[in-house]
Amino acid sequence: MAERPLDEKTISMLVAAATTAPSMHNAQPWRFRYLAGDRVLLLRGDPERAMIRSDPGDRALHIGCGAALFNLRVAAADAHLTAEATLLPDPQDPRLLAAVHLADAPEDTRDAELARLYPAIRERHTSRHPFAEKDIPDDVRTALQDAAESEGATLVFPGPWHSETVLGLVRDAESRDALDPDAAEDLVRWTRLGTDAGAAVDGVPEYAFGPRKWDGKAPVRNFAAHRPVADRGTTTFEHTPHLALLSTPGDATEDWLRAGQALERVLLTATREDLATSLTSHALETPELRLLTRDPLSGAGQVQMVLRLGYGPRGPVTPRRPVRDVLEFT
């Protein structure tokens, strides 16, 4: 049976879903190219959107692109397509992160579990607001761990001692930044204040900063960076934040791409379970601090992201670049 043609509208829909993925400071470090004759969608990293200070090795860039790749897979499943991804298909072209072959998927071969996550793509937004002091049920934790495992990663909910260690490392990272006048370079570049916030197509606009933390232990980054931002207010965050650590066995480029896919699968699953989510990589941006975030009992794995989960308001929709700016057809 001949495969149905994939028109530009269908490909644009897939890429639009991909680009809702989270990325460091919402820099959206990806580009796509569709090869119509081969039915292959190429995903490339965009070095112009890299974090020179915070992510010199491009680990976070790859995680963001991995998250976009997972959204693409989910959108393809919803559209009754398979999306077979080959990671790093050309050793001579390290910016080519994935080649995704798209094929028709009859109902009996469709990945229904992926397709069920599709509504969560539009519902997931990073929340920088306080969460309730409420436990996450064991079955929900298990579902999130299963989501990570299905993408080759591990999700750990650290115990009290380990959580306090991670929170201490976040505070250590904040203190180091306060002593380094250049530490906020990437943050300042990718935050949007005043009239720029309303017209932004990338970065973190001031309306998404959330309130200032007056009290509590939740790790919440101060995107204002000592700049005046009107009408934020201050409030108390949770004193017992629910943290989760996403890890991979290795720490190579392919591991980062897999971590991004696992991260997004966890986030979409959490959204389906009515959890609000936020991410912090602050303690992971310094090599010696990142090493200390590992599970103190096993000492295994490479921590790729710290998640904060809970019940509370979801964050606002943050801007995205138009699909026409990130997708080309060949």
Side-chain angles (χ1 to χ4, degrees):
M1 181 183 296
E3 291 191 307
R4 57 189 164 121
L6 297 179
D7 56 19
E8 291 191 5
K9 181 179 178 181
T10 300
I11 300 302
S12 296
M13 178 275 293
L14 298 179
V15 171
T19 61
T20 65
S23 58
M24 189 173 188
H25 300 346
N26 194 30
Q28 305 169 45
W30 43 64
R31 298 194 66 83
F32 296 86
R33 182 183 178 194
Y34 183 59
L35 309 180
D38 299 323
R39 292 172 63 107
V40 169
L41 193 55
L42 303 179
L43 167 62
R44 304 186 67 86
D46 187 345
E48 294 184 2
R49 292 173 174 272
M51 303 288 158
I52 297 174
R53 291 279 307 182
S54 309
D55 185 39
D58 287 345
R59 184 181 65 87
L61 181 149
H62 285 82
I63 290 174
C65 288
L69 174 59
F70 183 77
N71 276 359
L72 175 64
R73 290 168 50 202
V74 170
D78 182 73
H80 294 267
L81 296 167
T82 61
E84 183 177 346
T86 301
L87 302 182
L88 305 173
D90 184 355
Q92 303 304 314
D93 187 358
R95 290 293 177 185
L96 179 57
L97 305 185
V100 184
H101 181 262
L102 300 169
D104 292 337
E107 189 62 37
D108 59 345
T109 63
R110 179 182 180 228
D111 193 328
E113 188 59 36
L114 277 184
R116 278 193 287 271
L117 292 174
Y118 183 71
I121 287 179
R122 297 296 177 184
E123 297 169 5
R124 183 214 64 82
H125 306 297
T126 298
S127 176
R128 300 182 181 92
H129 292 270
F131 298 162
E133 300 277 3
K134 177 182 176 182
D135 287 338
I136 299 173
D138 289 342
D139 62 330
V140 175
R141 291 176 180 242
T142 299
L144 299 179
Q145 291 175 317
D146 289 347
E149 185 177 357
S150 67
E151 298 297 330
T154 301
L155 191 72
V156 173
F157 293 93
W161 182 89
H162 191 186
S163 290
E164 285 295 330
T165 299
V166 173
L167 293 172
L169 294 173
V170 172
R171 291 191 291 270
D172 194 349
E174 292 170 348
S175 298
R176 293 183 183 209
D177 284 357
L179 297 174
D180 182 354
D182 297 323
E185 179 182 339
D186 291 328
L187 185 145
V188 170
R189 178 189 175 194
W190 292 103
T191 47
R192 310 291 183 238
L193 304 181
T195 56
D196 289 342
V201 296
D202 56 15
V204 182
E206 63 179 12
Y207 59 76
F209 288 3
R212 292 183 179 87
K213 184 170 69 174
W214 174 259
D215 195 12
K217 293 185 177 181
V220 182
R221 198 162 199 161
N222 180 16
F223 279 90
H226 306 296
R227 295 168 294 173
V229 178
D231 302 326
R232 286 184 69 196
T234 59
T235 191
T236 297
F237 282 72
E238 46 293 17
H239 285 271
T240 308
H242 295 296
L243 304 182
L245 306 179
L246 183 80
S247 302
T248 53
D251 203 28
T253 306
E254 185 170 339
D255 295 294
W256 301 340
L257 290 170
R258 294 193 184 281
Q261 293 178 84
L263 172 64
E264 186 67 347
R265 188 160 197 152
V266 169
L267 293 175
L268 296 184
T269 302
T271 300
R272 283 192 63 194
E273 297 290 347
D274 293 324
L275 286 170
T277 60
S278 67
L279 308 174
T280 178
S281 61
H282 211 160
L284 308 179
E285 294 163 19
T286 305
E288 59 269 27
L289 294 185
R290 182 181 174 219
L291 184 64
L292 297 175
T293 61
R294 284 178 169 183
D295 182 346
L297 296 179
S298 68
Q302 303 290 332
V303 178
Q304 305 293 354
M305 188 61 68
V306 180
L307 293 78
R308 171 176 159 252
L309 307 163
Y311 297 95
R314 291 178 183 167
V317 177
T318 48
R320 289 297 185 273
R321 289 189 287 165
V323 169
R324 63 178 179 274
D325 289 352
V326 300
L327 171 63
E328 63 176 308
F329 292 88
T330 301

